[in-house]
Amino acid sequence: MDPRVKAARFSVISNFSLALLKFIVALITGSVSILSEAIHSSLDLLAALIAFFCLRQAIKPANEKFQFGHGKIENVSGVVEALLIFFAALWIIFESYQKFVQGSAVESVTLGIFVMAFASLVNYLISLYLFKVAEKTDSIALKADAMHLKTDVLTSIGVLGGLVLIKVTGIQWLDPLSAIAIAILIIKAAIELTLEAFSPLLDVRLPEEEEEIIISIIRRHSNEFIEFHKLRSRKAGAERHIDLHMVVPYNQPVVRVHEICDQIENEIAAIFPCSHVLIHMEPCKASCIKCDYLGPCAPPTPVPENEEADPKGR
C-alpha cells in the first residue's frame, strides 16, 4: 500500500475513536468545550476520510483522460478540509456564546481532564507520524490532515487548561471562554491551510527557494549549453511540472543534447521526486562565439541551384 494511503487510513481510525470518546465524555460532563472538541474531532474524521479517498485517486498514474495525472485531487482535498475546519470554528463560537449567555455547570471535571490529556497525547503522536509521511511524500492532503490533528492538540490543551481552572477556581464561565479561544486558533489554521492548498489549483509557480535549486542544477551543466530562458513551474499535489527553453551550440550532436536533457531531468528528480521536466532545445545563432570548442557555429554551405552536390563530398 502507498505510504500516503496507509497513513490516511490510520488517521481515519484514530479520529473515529477519539471523536466517539469525546462525545461520550461531553454528554457525561456537560462541558461545552469538550463538546466543541468532539465536534472538531468529528470534522477531523470527515477530513481524514476525504484525504483517504482523494489520495487513493491521486496515486493513480496518468491516463488518456487525465494526461497530467491526478495530483490536483490532493489540493482539492486540502481546500475542502480547510473549509471544514473554518465552519467547525464558527459552530464552536456559536455554541460557546449560547452557553456563556445561558450559563451551565460542568460536571465530572476530573473525567474531562483525564480524557483531554489522553486525546492530546494520542493526537500529538499521530500528527507527528502524518507530518513525517507528508514531508517524505510531499503530500498536501496528508499535511492538511496532520495540521488538523496539530490544531486538535492545541485545542485539547486549551480545554484541559480551562477544566483545570474550573476545578481550582470553580468559575464555570471559563469553559465557554476557553472554547472561544480554541475556535480562534482553529480559524487561523484554516486560513493558512486554505492558502497553501488552493494556490496550486491556480498553477502558481513553485516557491522561490525551490526554483533556485532547479536553476542551480541547470547551471551545473553551463559548459554544455549557451543559455536558458522561459523557465516555468507549477505543482499538482506531490507532482512538480517544470519546463524551460535551452540554447545549445548550433553543431551540437542531437545525441549529446539528449544526454544533457536526461542528466538535468534526473538531477532535478533526485531532489524533487515526482517531477516532470520538459526541456525545449534551441540552436544558437550562426554568429555565436561561445561554442568555438566544437568548431565554428555555422550552418552547412547551401548548394547553388545550378549545381549539384558531389555525392563524395568533393
Side-chain angles (χ1 to χ4, degrees), residues 10-11 14-15 18 22 37 40-41 44 115-133 142 145-157 160:
F10 184 71
S11 178
S14 64
N15 275 305
L18 287 178
K22 288 178 182 179
E37 274 297 287
H40 188 192
S41 292
D44 283 347
V115 170
M116 296 316 299
F118 174 75
S120 298
L121 177 61
V122 172
N123 280 332
Y124 174 71
L125 295 175
I126 296 174
S127 66
L128 286 181
Y129 168 62
L130 292 181
F131 269 122
K132 183 178 180 180
V133 178
L142 273 187
D145 207 4
M147 285 183 67
H148 280 187
L149 293 180
K150 182 180 178 181
T151 304
D152 220 8
V153 172
L154 295 175
T155 56
S156 295
I157 292 174
L160 178 62

Side-chain angles (χ1 to χ4, degrees), residues 37 165 172 216 245 256:
E37 274 297 287
L165 287 175
Q172 296 294 331
S216 67
H245 289 210
R256 182 55 189 158

Side-chain angles (χ1 to χ4, degrees), residues 58-298:
I59 63 175
K60 291 181 178 180
N63 54 34
E64 185 63 29
K65 185 176 181 180
F66 297 95
Q67 297 182 343
F68 288 93
H70 302 74
K72 285 193 177 182
I73 294 177
E74 280 202 56
N75 298 97
V76 174
S77 170
V79 172
V80 172
E81 291 180 54
L83 292 176
L84 288 174
I85 295 177
F86 181 76
F87 285 117
L90 294 180
W91 176 258
I92 290 170
I93 290 174
F94 174 77
E95 286 294 319
S96 300
Y97 175 76
Q98 292 291 98
K99 288 284 185 178
F100 192 83
V101 172
Q102 298 173 3
S104 61
V106 178
E107 302 175 359
S108 304
V109 176
T110 303
L111 174 62
I113 291 173
F114 174 78
V115 170
M116 296 316 299
F118 174 75
S120 298
L121 177 61
V122 172
N123 280 332
Y124 174 71
L125 295 175
I126 296 174
S127 66
L128 286 181
Y129 168 62
L130 292 181
F131 269 122
K132 183 178 180 180
V133 178
E135 183 178 357
K136 184 177 180 180
T137 61
D138 200 16
S139 170
I140 184 63
L142 273 187
K143 184 177 181 181
D145 207 4
M147 285 183 67
H148 280 187
L149 293 180
K150 182 180 178 181
T151 304
D152 220 8
V153 172
L154 295 175
T155 56
S156 295
I157 292 174
V159 172
L160 178 62
L163 292 174
V164 171
L165 287 175
I166 291 174
K167 188 173 180 63
V168 173
T169 65
I171 302 175
Q172 296 294 331
W173 55 262
L174 288 173
D175 181 53
L177 186 64
S178 64
I180 292 174
I182 289 166
I184 293 173
L185 288 175
I186 294 173
I187 290 174
K188 181 177 180 293
I191 293 173
E192 292 175 353
L193 182 57
T194 301
L195 293 175
E196 183 173 359
F198 189 71
S199 293
L201 294 177
L202 301 177
D203 287 338
V204 174
R205 67 191 296 179
L206 294 177
E208 184 177 348
E209 57 271 18
E210 292 191 7
E211 284 200 352
E212 286 297 327
I213 294 173
I214 293 169
I215 291 172
S216 67
I217 291 174
I218 297 171
R219 285 176 176 165
R220 290 177 195 168
H221 303 270
S222 58
N223 61 325
E224 301 280 2
F225 61 87
I226 310 302
E227 57 97 8
F228 70 93
H229 53 273
K230 292 186 179 179
L231 173 65
R232 300 188 304 174
S233 62
R234 65 184 177 90
K235 194 174 183 184
E239 299 179 356
R240 290 171 176 81
H241 296 267
I242 304 148
D243 63 78
L244 65 137
H245 289 210
M246 183 173 288
V247 180
V248 297
Y250 190 94
N251 52 359
Q252 182 83 282
V254 175
V255 173
R256 182 55 189 158
V257 170
H258 182 70
E259 289 175 352
I260 296 169
C261 291
D262 283 347
Q263 289 174 9
I264 294 173
E265 292 168 8
N266 291 336
E267 289 178 24
I268 292 175
I271 297 178
F272 301 114
C274 301
S275 294
H276 303 276
V277 184
L278 178 62
I279 303 176
H280 173 72
M281 290 295 190
E282 301 173 355
C284 68
K285 296 180 180 179
S287 59
C288 174
I289 60 174
K290 293 184 179 180
C291 48
D292 288 340
Y293 70 97
L294 287 175
C297 285

